[in-house]
Amino acid sequence: MLAYRLLTAEDTSAFCHKVTEALSKGWVLHGSPAYAHDPATGVMRCAQAVVKEVEATYRPELKLGSL
């Protein structure tokens, strides 16, 4: 099964660490990152999709971050 996650966070080094951690666990970048201004907080937010091929069967309660 191909698992999909969308990682999001404020535009800080913490976001880069979140993506780097996912890559170190076998996730692969999927597409380009996205940036948007969050008017509620006044900060820029980042998003990056990642995918990973896993030996699992999809079910809604599956914790994707634990794959």
Side-chain angles (χ1 to χ4, degrees):
M1 167 184 95
L2 187 62
Y4 170 91
R5 293 173 64 198
L6 182 64
L7 306 175
T8 62
E10 289 185 10
D11 186 14
T12 67
S13 63
F15 175 74
C16 295
H17 285 282
K18 182 186 272 191
V19 174
T20 300
E21 179 183 21
L23 295 174
S24 75
K25 293 179 177 180
W27 292 86
V28 178
L29 298 176
H30 182 73
S32 299
Y35 298 93
H37 182 261
D38 182 348
T41 60
V43 300
M44 293 298 288
R45 295 195 54 83
C46 304
Q48 175 64 60
V50 292
V51 295
K52 182 178 184 181
E53 188 67 44
V54 295
E55 291 189 28
T57 301
Y58 175 76
R59 43 188 208 289
E61 64 275 5
L62 185 65
K63 302 290 184 194
L64 297 172
S66 67
L67 297 176

